[in-house]
């Protein structure tokens, strides 16, 4: 479906075009993002404008924002110029990038395929060279997936490092602000503005953990991706940095609360990596619970027109009962977080830049 709200030349990426100039009073040439343009996912508040959250009924029933997202303010203060807001999946509850109301942005990398979501328009705006970088959010892959689909760079920092104030919540336990760029130089320039990290704290990695079982699930052991990654890490950081590990076994050994859920699988339905299946289930249940807490009242009151697929997902979340063992799931999450921090040798307040380069898990 064509995006009726955007021009024909913008690949359907934009919800609304407008210009927000740099806000700093310093000499623009001295600012870190001077000369760069950016787009904003329609989940970030901008004072005086309605935040649409991907759905026309949401936009119709909400007043203009009273304040602007600190992330948007920071990029403007750093010298960047915003060119408008971008389309997103409704209520951020999808990963495809399709929007039944405003149209699906065209993937410049593969025009016949979806762009990925929920930050679809933000990814497309960058991939189509309409802006230099863009802001998105990632709860379960909503920056990483569209970046991969559109052939650009996308960064989801560690949870909690970048402010989510004045960003409509999907599930706060997992919501993360991220950004897109076509090149690593621009991605890094934005990171230096938005991440609380100094160059002195970014160190050479001592360990890169590569989970063989995850690659086996993906079928990548047969296409040599796993072998190429091992060789690349060894060449870049030295063979001593390579740490091959089965992530499923690591979770089973270090997340004790998970064991009773693994025991619930019958022999016939046992997945290839049971621990990862349980972690995935726990994440989806906690996400659904928070989405319900955030938006059930609005959905039940307004009964919004939601697109196919999304409609069923939202109402399933709203109708979910209170019989799920959420306390057990919270315990699993806490144990999993602690185990990964130990595995990655993460120190308190370590930035995502350090985590990404000091110890990476590919899965």
């Amino acid at each position: 479906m064509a995006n009726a709200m955007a021009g024909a030349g913008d690949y359907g990426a934009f919800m609304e075009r407008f210009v927000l100039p740099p806000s700093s009073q310093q000499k623009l040439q001295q600012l870190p993002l001077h000369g760069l343009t950016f787009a904003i996912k329609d989940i970030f508040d901008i004072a005086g404008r309605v935040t649409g959250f991907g759905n026309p009924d949401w936009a119709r029933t909400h007043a203009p924002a009273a304040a602007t997202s600190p992330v948007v303010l920071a990029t403007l203060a750093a010298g960047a110029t915003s060119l408008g807001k971008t389309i997103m999946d409704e209520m951020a509850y999808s990963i495809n990038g399709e929007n039944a109301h405003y149209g699906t942005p065209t993937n410049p990398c593969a025009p016949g395929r979806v762009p990925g979501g929920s930050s679809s328009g933000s990814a497309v705006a960058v991939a189509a060279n309409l802006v230099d970088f863009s802001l998105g959010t990632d709860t379960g892959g909503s920056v990483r997936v569209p970046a991969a689909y559109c052939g650009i760079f996308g960064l989801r920092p560690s949870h909690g490092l970048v402010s989510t104030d004045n960003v409509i919540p999907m599930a706060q336990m997992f919501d993360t602000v991220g950004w897109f760029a076509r090149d690593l130089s621009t991605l890094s320039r934005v990171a230096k503005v938005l991440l609380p990290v100094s160059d002195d704290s970014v160190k050479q990695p001592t360990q890169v953990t590569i989970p063989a079982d995850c690659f086996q699930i993906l079928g990548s052991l047969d296409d040599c991706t796993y072998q190429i990654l091992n060789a690349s890490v060894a060449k870049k950081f030295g063979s001593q940095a390579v740490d091959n590990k089965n992530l499923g076994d690591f979770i089973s050994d270090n997340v004790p609360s998970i064991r009773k859920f693994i025991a619930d699988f019958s022999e016939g339905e046992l997945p290839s990596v049971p621990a990862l299946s349980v972690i995935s289930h726990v994440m989806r249940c906690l996400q659904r619970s928070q989405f319900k807490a955030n938006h059930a009242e609005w959905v039940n009151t307004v009964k919004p027109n939601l697109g196919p697929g999304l409609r069923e997902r939202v109402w399933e979340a709203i109708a979910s009962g209170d019989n799920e063992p959420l306390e057990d799931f919270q315990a699993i999450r806490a144990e999993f977080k602690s185990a990964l921090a130990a595995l990655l040798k993460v120190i308190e307040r370590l930035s995502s830049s350090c985590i990404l380069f000091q110890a990476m898990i590919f899965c």
Side-chain angles (χ1 to χ4, degrees):
M1 181 193 305
N3 177 10
M5 300 191 67
D10 73 358
Y11 290 78
F14 281 90
M15 275 288 302
E16 183 183 5
R17 290 272 204 172
F18 53 82
V19 174
L20 293 178
S23 60
S24 177
Q25 300 301 311
Q26 299 181 40
K27 291 182 179 180
L28 291 178
Q29 294 83 351
Q30 298 175 355
L31 298 174
L33 301 182
H34 167 63
L36 297 184
T37 58
F38 72 103
I40 305 166
K41 182 178 181 178
D42 195 23
I43 198 171
F44 293 85
D45 285 345
I46 297 175
R49 297 181 180 274
V50 174
T51 308
F53 206 23
N55 179 269
D57 286 327
W58 182 279
R60 175 180 59 81
T61 56
H62 286 78
T68 299
S69 156
V71 173
V72 174
L73 292 175
T75 53
L76 294 173
T81 299
S82 171
L83 299 185
K85 280 196 171 186
T86 54
I87 281 183
M88 58 175 285
D89 290 30
E90 296 177 72
M91 305 186 78
Y93 212 162
S94 177
I95 209 71
N96 290 335
E98 299 169 306
N99 191 303
H101 309 286
Y102 303 125
T104 298
T106 300
N107 185 338
C109 183
R113 300 183 181 276
V114 295
S118 64
S119 307
S120 55
S122 291
V124 167
V126 169
N129 204 23
L130 303 174
V131 292
D132 297 305
F133 70 94
S134 61
L135 300 176
T137 58
D138 189 313
T139 302
S142 290
V143 165
R144 292 162 288 172
V145 169
Y149 283 13
C150 293
I152 57 176
F153 292 98
L155 176 62
R156 177 209 182 275
S158 294
H159 185 261
L161 280 177
V162 181
S163 173
T164 56
D165 291 348
N166 292 102
V167 179
I168 298 176
M170 194 279 182
Q172 299 92 314
M173 197 176 293
F174 307 101
D175 292 344
T176 309
V177 168
W179 50 94
F180 302 91
R182 288 183 299 280
D183 57 84
L184 286 174
S185 175
T186 303
L187 197 79
S188 178
R189 287 174 67 180
V190 179
K192 289 179 179 179
V193 170
L194 297 182
L195 287 177
V197 59
S198 67
D199 290 339
D200 293 339
S201 65
V202 180
K203 300 178 180 179
Q204 186 79 355
T206 58
Q207 176 180 300
V208 179
T209 299
I210 306 173
D213 50 350
C214 294
F215 281 91
Q216 187 169 12
I217 293 172
L218 296 172
S220 299
L221 292 181
D222 297 329
D223 66 11
C224 296
T225 303
Y226 176 71
Q227 291 84 353
I228 292 170
L229 179 58
N230 271 268
S232 298
V233 170
K235 182 178 179 179
K236 179 68 176 177
F237 303 120
S239 58
Q240 76 284 350
V242 179
D243 176 35
N244 287 285
K245 189 183 299 290
N246 282 335
L247 189 58
D249 292 342
F250 173 81
I251 294 171
S252 297
D253 293 339
N254 293 277
V255 184
S257 295
I258 209 171
R259 294 167 192 160
K260 70 176 183 179
F261 292 95
I262 293 177
D264 288 342
F265 286 114
S266 67
E267 187 172 337
E269 64 178 6
L270 195 68
S272 56
V273 184
L276 293 181
S277 294
V278 173
I279 288 292
S280 176
H281 175 70
V282 167
M283 183 268 183
R284 290 196 304 272
C285 289
L286 290 175
Q287 180 191 57
R288 184 171 60 192
S289 173
Q290 284 209 306
F291 180 87
K292 177 181 179 179
N294 290 328
H295 303 305
E297 181 179 356
W298 179 80
V299 171
N300 284 321
T301 300
V302 175
K303 295 182 171 48
N305 179 19
L306 300 167
L310 196 286
R311 179 187 308 114
E312 291 77 11
R313 190 174 303 115
V314 167
W315 281 106
E316 179 186 14
I318 301 304
S320 60
D322 299 324
N323 56 347
E324 292 178 325
L326 295 180
E327 289 187 3
D328 290 339
F329 292 164
Q330 292 278 21
I332 289 174
R333 177 178 179 270
E335 291 171 4
F336 184 44
K337 182 178 179 180
S338 176
L340 283 183
L343 172 65
L344 300 177
K345 298 180 174 62
V346 177
I347 62 174
E348 186 178 3
R349 296 294 299 166
L350 189 63
S351 80
S352 64
S353 297
C354 297
I355 294 170
L356 286 168
F357 290 104
Q358 187 169 10
M360 294 180 283
I361 290 182
F362 296 84
C363 58

